[in-house]
Amino acid sequence: MSPASTGASTIVGAAPSVPVSSASSASSASSDSRMAPGGPGYRRMSFALFLAGVATFALLYSTQALLPLISSDFGVAASQASWTVAAATGGLALFVLPMSALSERYGRRTVMTASLAVAVGVGLLVPFAPSLGTLVVLRAVQGAALAGLPASATAYLAEEVRPKALVTAIGLFVAGNSVGGMSGRVITGWVAQEWGWRVAVGVIGALAVACAIAFRLLLPAPKHFRTGSLAPRVLARTVRDHLANPLLRRLYAIGALFMTVFGGVYTVIGYRLTEAPFSLPQGIVGSIFLVYLVGTVSASTAGRLVGRLGRRGALYLAGGTTAAGLLLSLADSLALVLLGLVLITAGFFAGHAVASSAVSKTATTGRAQASALYQSAYYIGSSTGSTVGAMAFHSGGWAGTVGVGVLAVLGVVTITVFGTRAARRETLVAA
């Protein structure tokens, strides 16, 4: 059985089990018309999807660094203001599967373009929300619109990029997510300090417009897309088959749990840093999100990490790094809190890149649906983390939020251990 079917770790770049001549390998590689590093279109494709990732995360989390200001403006608690984040990620989680089905019928590039266009349009309306309720509704619509991006992008990569380059390509897309999340929060922090949160989210909307236009101009037309069916029966069967796969179920749960940690930490961190003993101004709090650059590096190097440690080894390392960061962040020293955020961010983005690329490699059919299920679980984790993390902060302070994160990391480790044991049992049976 293949690693995908047994749950064994996939080692990127590992030697094939059946000897193949170098001439045969070279011939096979030259006949593969899919994109590869250094080949035609690969740089354009990588940059286009990088920009799509920037726009997606900048829009999706545009209010996260501004929650203290939104709380003050509307006179609400952190747990209520956090719904401006949870509504967006929840809308994405609910609509990512239907959007993936549309991408099977109308094409990945078409759906991604339409998705960004609608999300950007809504983003330009967000600064004018007259109440918290209206703001939450607009954010939910924006999240639903963005749902066409994540699943379509990974399916596009799985079809258009050679298998050995897939983890790296998806890592670059995830790196774009981290840059978008960082730039959105840093820009909004400083702009909001001078002109308020409404102007800040308007600036993010304008940035997203530029990214969306460049994305559409740069992304190469797909050459390997095959039109799928929109029939509900076919979609239901595909989803059922994916959910019946134990490896995919584990990967979905891992993505959700990693994002529970990340969503909780970054929803609440602004409140912690603006309160005693730190009492930092909004601009400085926004600059804290520069640690996302660490995520850019860890996501883009995920392929090499899997090549050295295997998928499960990489997940253990990502989980351990995240847990260490959570515990460090409990200190009342700003330097240790920042170091903790660095470790949390590095562990999260590495784990996310490893898990999401493993989904694309495991699913041989219905890739858009497989990726959509992962994205749905991932953003359900984000909504859960944002809401539960804020509630835990309200009742138990930062230690409460950290407690939620540690429980989620323990879940990641437990699932990975279970997968390791299942793979060993299947190996023994096969032997």
Side-chain angles (χ1 to χ4, degrees):
M1 300 178 88
S2 69
S5 61
T6 62
S9 292
T10 302
I11 309 297
V12 176
S17 56
V18 179
V20 179
S21 70
S22 58
S24 158
S25 298
S27 173
S28 174
S30 63
S31 65
D32 191 340
S33 61
R34 288 174 292 182
M35 289 181 280
Y42 185 85
R43 284 188 178 180
R44 284 182 56 206
M45 177 275 299
S46 297
F47 189 49
L49 288 176
F50 178 86
L51 291 176
V54 169
T56 299
F57 255 47
L59 289 171
L60 194 62
Y61 294 100
S62 59
T63 63
Q64 194 173 56
L66 305 173
L67 292 180
L69 295 178
I70 293 173
S71 288
S72 177
D73 189 19
F74 292 120
V76 298
S79 57
Q80 293 171 285
S82 69
W83 278 102
T84 64
V85 179
T89 54
L92 193 153
L94 287 174
F95 280 85
V96 68
L97 188 57
M99 287 290 195
S100 74
L102 290 177
S103 81
E104 293 282 7
R105 177 66 180 83
Y106 298 107
R108 319 300 187 198
R109 190 169 68 160
T110 300
V111 169
M112 286 190 285
T113 301
S115 180
L116 269 181
V118 174
V120 164
V122 175
L124 296 177
L125 297 176
V126 166
F128 304 100
S131 65
L132 180 64
T134 304
L135 179 58
V136 169
V137 169
L138 287 173
R139 294 283 293 147
V141 173
Q142 191 173 46
L146 285 170
L149 236 304
S152 299
T154 51
Y156 175 94
L157 289 169
E159 292 163 351
E160 305 298 328
V161 175
R162 294 182 188 178
K164 287 188 176 181
L166 183 59
V167 176
T168 300
I170 290 179
L172 288 172
F173 174 63
V174 173
N177 292 345
S178 71
V179 169
M182 175 203 70
S183 59
R185 291 161 171 90
V186 172
I187 291 170
T188 55
W190 285 105
V191 172
Q193 183 171 299
E194 297 296 326
W195 296 287
W197 70 267
R198 295 179 185 274
V199 174
V201 293
V203 169
I204 293 302
L207 171 67
V209 169
C211 288
I213 293 172
F215 161 80
R216 186 61 182 82
L217 293 175
L218 289 171
L219 189 69
K223 296 181 179 179
H224 301 276
F225 171 73
R226 297 293 180 267
T227 303
S229 173
L230 272 177
R233 185 179 301 175
V234 175
L235 177 61
R237 184 172 62 248
T238 301
V239 170
R240 185 176 63 248
D241 289 345
H242 290 326
L243 291 177
N245 186 318
L247 175 55
L248 287 177
R249 288 201 304 269
R250 290 195 293 271
L251 292 170
Y252 297 154
I254 286 169
L257 289 167
F258 265 124
M259 195 53 167
T260 297
V261 180
F262 199 68
V265 165
Y266 278 101
T267 294
V268 173
I269 191 64
Y271 290 97
R272 189 188 185 206
L273 294 178
T274 55
E275 295 177 356
F278 305 111
S279 303
L280 299 179
Q282 186 64 46
I284 298 297
V285 170
S287 297
I288 296 298
F289 291 92
L290 285 168
V291 297
Y292 265 49
L293 289 172
V294 176
T296 304
V297 174
S298 67
S300 60
T301 58
R304 280 180 287 181
L305 189 64
V306 173
R308 291 177 181 177
L309 303 177
R311 184 182 63 249
R312 290 192 300 274
L315 289 173
Y316 285 131
L317 179 60
T321 301
T322 304
L326 286 167
L327 296 177
L328 269 178
S329 72
L330 288 168
D332 285 335
S333 161
L334 183 59
L336 290 179
V337 171
L338 292 177
L339 179 57
L341 289 176
V342 166
L343 294 178
I344 291 167
T345 304
F348 162 73
F349 276 105
H352 170 41
V354 171
S356 61
S357 60
V359 169
S360 295
K361 292 173 75 70
T362 301
T364 55
T365 60
R367 284 193 176 103
Q369 282 72 49
S371 295
L373 287 168
Y374 175 83
Q375 296 294 335
S376 183
Y378 175 80
Y379 285 108
I380 286 172
S382 178
S383 294
T384 301
S386 298
T387 304
V388 177
M391 292 171 63
F393 181 76
H394 180 73
S395 61
W398 181 250
T401 303
V402 168
V404 171
V406 169
L407 287 175
V409 172
L410 287 175
V412 169
V413 173
T414 300
I415 291 168
T416 308
V417 168
F418 181 83
T420 301
R421 291 179 176 176
R424 286 175 180 171
R425 284 196 302 268
E426 292 191 17
T427 301
L428 290 173
V429 169

